[in-house]
Amino acid sequence: MTTEAAPPPGSAGPSVASHTADEFVDVQQSPEFAELRRAHRSFAFPLTVAFIAWYLLYVLLSSYAGGFMGTKLFGNINVALVLGLAQFATTFLIAWLYARHAAAQLDPKAEAIKTRMEAGA
């Protein structure tokens, strides 16, 4: 039994070119790679900090503001339930925003770096 799958349609298959460690270091030190890192970090770090702060706020409110969290908004729905569900909504929103950011900003830059390296430039 083989573990190698056929390459997807339209791809050239595994890369034949072998790159040295120096070539990877050169790419890593290039301005294009620095821009790619900056584009990723400028999006990921602030959103990570914001989400952790939002999560900790929820935990702190749950621990120390029981009266507020138990406030009924309508029917049996209280503030704690709404904020808890908002945690899930926020997670999916961040994932969607990151996918859009990656497709628009990161993927083209990464593809350009990959193409340049594969061309041997």
Side-chain angles (χ1 to χ4, degrees):
M1 182 169 128
T2 181
T3 59
E4 292 185 29
S11 74
S15 176
V16 183
S18 177
H19 297 287
T20 66
D22 289 336
E23 289 173 310
F24 284 106
V25 169
D26 290 343
V27 168
Q28 182 182 8
Q29 294 174 348
S30 71
E32 295 87 3
F33 192 78
E35 174 58 26
L36 176 63
R37 268 195 321 259
R38 187 207 60 75
H40 170 71
R41 289 177 179 170
S42 68
F43 183 88
F45 288 175
L47 267 175
T48 301
V49 169
F51 184 78
I52 290 172
W54 159 230
Y55 175 75
L56 290 176
L57 174 67
Y58 177 74
V59 171
L60 290 172
L61 286 173
S62 295
S63 298
Y64 299 109
F68 170 70
M69 295 295 270
T71 303
K72 291 193 181 224
L73 299 175
F74 49 91
N76 286 328
I77 307 298
N78 62 17
V79 172
L81 180 63
V82 170
L83 292 180
L85 292 174
Q87 291 283 318
F88 288 101
T90 304
T91 301
F92 289 111
L93 176 66
I94 290 172
W96 177 72
L97 288 172
Y98 182 77
R100 286 187 54 206
H101 172 72
Q105 300 293 322
L106 305 179
D107 293 348
K109 290 177 175 123
E111 187 62 34
I113 292 169
K114 178 183 167 201
T115 301
R116 184 173 54 99
M117 190 167 188
E118 288 175 347

